[in-house]
Amino acid sequence: MAGEETPEELRYLSGLGNSFSSEAVPGSLPVGQNSPLVCPLGLYAEQLSGTSFTTPRAHNLRTWLYRIKPSVTHEPFHPRVPTNERLVGDFDDRTTTVATPTQLRWRPTDVPTAPLLDFIDGLYTVCGAGSSFLRHGYAIHMYAANKSMDGCAFCNADGDFLIVPQQGRLFITTECGKMLVSPGEIVVIPQGFRFAVDLPDGPSRGYVSEIFGAHFQLPDLGPIGANGLASPRDFLSPTAWFEQAHRPGYVIVQKYGGELFTATQDFSPFNVVAWHGNYVPYKYDLSRFCPFNTVLFDHGDPSVNTVLTAPTDKPGVALLDFVIFPPRWLVAENTFRPPYYHRNCMSEFMGLIYGIYEAKADGFLPGGASLHSCMTPHGPDTTTYEATIRRADANEPLRLKGTLAFMFESSLIPRVCRWALDSPSRDLDYYQCWIGLKSHFSHDNGEAASRESSGMDEKD
């Protein structure tokens, strides 16, 4: 059996999109073939496919797992009791979701001390579009957990999870090995992998995006060139680790169509002694992101801060982009440097990991969230706008520091879960942050504005 690894002793494999191989026991990988008559050490060969067999090679994703017992060795699945009624996988269901163009914002949700909630029970859907059954769409969740998963593993059959912890580290065990994920890092658990989440720091909360029918990849760099933004070598995947202990009553919790099902088995699913392939979980430290910015005038579009994208069939249009707003220099001259006022054909869900977001001086707090849907106006609040245009040093270089915000942006129009709209954390006065924006219009040296205010327009 492999020795127990502490979070500080974990080893990782570097690179995104690479074909890796990893052995917890030397000699446990077959040589020259994937599925020999008898695998080394008496292991079972099992392939996990993330794409169809005939997907072009450049995009084909699969990993071979060499395990003590195959994952098929379990009792039948049954609906989980109790279920998690706040998970949604089909956003055409009008009993649970609502269409609204209103700007929405939520204050941070406190992690409850009771009842006890692990990652599965602490996960809840905020909004999304499409359907996991149709293999097209996405869901945006948040989580607030106060206990580690014990005697169970989670498997998402619907899509990939991109997890953004905001408070408390996550110690994640997967079939490929273990990862420690801290606030300021992200982790991607691809569709179909079984995993368990421990909370080494106690209560934890954060954000999760889920994509149906696609996988995350690095964005094309275009004129930027060969380097910049997120570097492939900074993405880290786990190394093989296994446990062999007899575990009667071990529970597999499978999310399927947004619903939860359970099956029992008598062994840990983390019994993979070796593996090789390019379909693997991975994590990324957001502080390694190399941002680009305008160096003379105007505010650049946020797409230049894309870390990962899940593309659609239409070039340049994403099912979901993961975009960050990290510490960086602002140097544009004669420019309104915060984000501009905007109406967008895309829909934008934002979260704040720490600090203050540059476009919202008040009200947008770490652990909170906002949603600006397709063509709904949004932009800097009144305090930010007035302070920016009055800065005496507006042309001086400014380094944004101590802040990290992010955005899940999608071409699909989201429907919002009813419990999110009814949540006590919803900021019902969000719209007030723009109501104070006043007219600064001036014309004819102020004479026209003066005539309008006095009602004495001249007539021919």
Side-chain angles (χ1 to χ4, degrees), residues 38 82 102 129 191 194 233 243 273 278 284:
V38 177
T102 298
Q191 177 189 12
R194 295 176 175 182
R233 72 176 182 143
E243 59 180 353
V273 181
N278 63 350
Y284 176 72

Side-chain angles (χ1 to χ4, degrees), residues 68-134:
I68 297 168
K69 291 182 71 173
S71 58
V72 71
T73 313
H74 61 77
E75 299 293 325
F77 280 104
H78 299 283
R80 183 176 185 249
V81 179
T83 190
N84 183 339
E85 296 181 348
R86 297 195 300 169
L87 289 179
V88 177
D90 184 354
F91 291 91
D92 290 332
D93 183 356
R94 299 195 175 197
T95 63
T96 58
T97 63
V98 176
T100 175
T102 298
Q103 301 98 336
L104 300 172
R105 186 163 71 184
W106 294 270
R107 293 179 292 271
T109 299
D110 292 332
V111 181
T113 56
L116 294 178
L117 300 172
D118 62 15
F119 180 81
I120 301 171
D121 290 315
L123 190 66
Y124 58 96
T125 310
V126 177
C127 62
S131 169
S132 60
F133 290 105
L134 299 179

Side-chain angles (χ1 to χ4, degrees), residues 91-92 127-132 134-140 210-214 310-314 317-321 344-349 371-375 408-416:
F91 291 91
D92 290 332
C127 62
S131 169
S132 60
L134 299 179
R135 311 301 307 126
H136 182 63
Y138 70 95
I140 293 174
E210 179 184 8
I211 51 174
F212 311 137
T312 64
D313 294 335
K314 183 182 290 187
V317 179
L319 171 64
L320 192 87
D321 283 333
N344 193 355
C345 64
M346 309 283 276
S347 295
E348 307 174 9
F349 178 95
L371 176 64
H372 304 138
S373 292
C374 174
M375 293 303 175
F408 298 139
E409 184 179 55
S410 177
S411 60
L412 304 186
I413 298 175
R415 294 177 64 86
V416 184

Side-chain angles (χ1 to χ4, degrees), residues 352-394:
L352 184 60
I353 300 171
Y354 57 80
I356 298 174
Y357 176 51
E358 60 190 296
K360 296 291 190 297
D362 302 306
F364 189 43
L365 303 174
S370 67
L371 176 64
H372 304 138
S373 292
C374 174
M375 293 303 175
T376 293
H378 55 279
D381 60 19
T382 303
T383 302
T384 300
Y385 181 84
E386 294 293 337
T388 300
I389 65 174
R390 284 174 168 75
R391 285 183 67 101
D393 58 349

